[in-house]
Amino acid sequence: MENKTARFEKLLVKNGLKRTGPRLQVLEILSGRDSATSQPYLEQVMGKNADRVTLYRVLQAFEEKGIIHKVLDQQGTANYAICSDGCSAHEHHDEHVHFNCDNCHKIYCLDTVKIPALKVPAGFKVEHLNLIATGLCASCSDKVN
Amino acid sequence: MENKTARFEKLLVKNGLKRTGPRLQVLEILSGRDSATSQPYLEQVMGKNADRVTLYRVLQAFEEKGIIHKVLDQQGTANYAICSDGCSAHEHHDEHVHFNCDNCHKIYCLDTVKIPALKVPAGFKVEHLNLIATGLCASCSDKVN
DNA sequence: ATATAAAAGCAATATAGTTGCATTTAAAAT
DNA sequence: ATTTTAAATGCAACTATATTGCTTTTATAT
Ligand SMILES: [Mn+2]
Ligand SMILES: [Mn+2]
Ligand SMILES: [Zn+2]
Ligand SMILES: [Zn+2]
């Protein structure tokens, strides 16, 4: 396995973004998690390593470049996950289902579950679909049993 | 057609809610619109007829009783629409698709479009589905042509 | 080494939503 | 009709998420 930080540095360069501390740290954090990460959580773990505003701008830049994608949870707060691949500044390909666990509140990207096509009333032109499922994640429904 | 206000008053009584100005006004506003209505808009048109906090509490009470349902738009702000029917304090039946127009930003309840069932990975237990489509609504795609 | 555009930091502001408590009021009881 | 009371409203303070403008710092190209 190649050095992770080196990979991130390449990713930044490829997207015309400077290699900075806050950016590397955000990539580090997001890549180490199995579910989408909320802005508040990121802010907390970054602590004084970066200003709040810097964090917001890092997230915005990453989203624009197609490095991460945003998912709003049931409360409307932003959560971020690294894009699997094929996403770019010009187009995101994250039309997978997101699963919001009622118990642990994690948001999973169900990359394998595609959103089924939809029949809408005449005149409506669908551009994107955004499906959030709620319920119990695999780990939480285990514990309940 | 029976008097609208009288209908609203019955609705409040049926749900054990007192017949008050702010509540009737919210029902009046919501029923007069063809799409979901945002909290900020409601706040604005209510003006000084009710305190912000009262509005929040009215909306919360209505949602709990199954009189209205909440839809978050792409920015995560709350929008409200009157439940078609069959909703109660114990269960909502609003699993229809919501359409968020990129142009006019209206949110339409597509009551006729049911959300297709979903195959999720083993272990996950789906409780609710929340599908938001974005694009152009019928009226806006007309204007563009 | 120097120049420079990009990024970060800082302060102020905006907007959505919540909480606690005092006051008012709709509706029930008398 | 009055009185009673639980429910609802209003007000003030507060929290959380997000944004904007401006200054300073810094990564990178020259
Ligand atoms: Mn995702
Ligand atoms: Mn609806
Ligand atoms: Zn869970
Ligand atoms: Zn429209």
Side-chain angles (χ1 to χ4, degrees), chain B residues 31-49:
Chain B
S31 70
R33 293 170 51 87
D34 67 336
S35 58
T37 304
S38 70
Q39 186 283 327
Y41 176 88
L42 279 166
E43 187 174 326
Q44 183 199 301
V45 305
M46 303 268 302
K48 60 173 220 54
N49 294 0

Side-chain angles (χ1 to χ4, degrees), chain B residues 49-121:
Chain B
N49 294 0
D51 189 81
R52 281 167 44 69
V53 178
T54 300
L55 174 56
Y56 278 107
R57 295 199 265 231
V58 165
L59 293 171
Q60 190 187 307
F62 283 1
E63 195 185 5
E64 278 167 12
K65 297 297 185 177
I67 297 173
I68 64 177
H69 62 279
K70 169 159 47 174
V71 196
L72 300 184
D73 63 23
Q74 297 319 91
Q75 286 74 249
T77 50
N79 288 251
Y80 297 91
I82 293 192
C83 291
S84 25
D85 70 340
C87 293
S88 72
H90 303 296
E91 204 176 345
H92 274 267
H93 295 94
D94 303 292
E95 295 224 337
H96 48 261
V97 173
H98 289 105
F99 190 95
N100 200 167
C101 179
D102 290 328
N103 185 248
C104 65
H105 301 108
K106 282 188 181 180
I107 297 182
Y108 294 90
C109 292
L110 303 185
D111 303 82
T112 58
V113 184
K114 294 302 170 201
I115 301 180
L118 215 65
K119 237 186 132 72
V120 293

Side-chain angles (χ1 to χ4, degrees), chain A residues 18-19 39-40 52-53 56-57 77-78:
Chain A
K18 288 185 180 173
R19 197 211 104 248
Q39 187 283 329
R52 281 170 47 72
V53 177
Y56 277 108
R57 294 200 265 232
T77 50

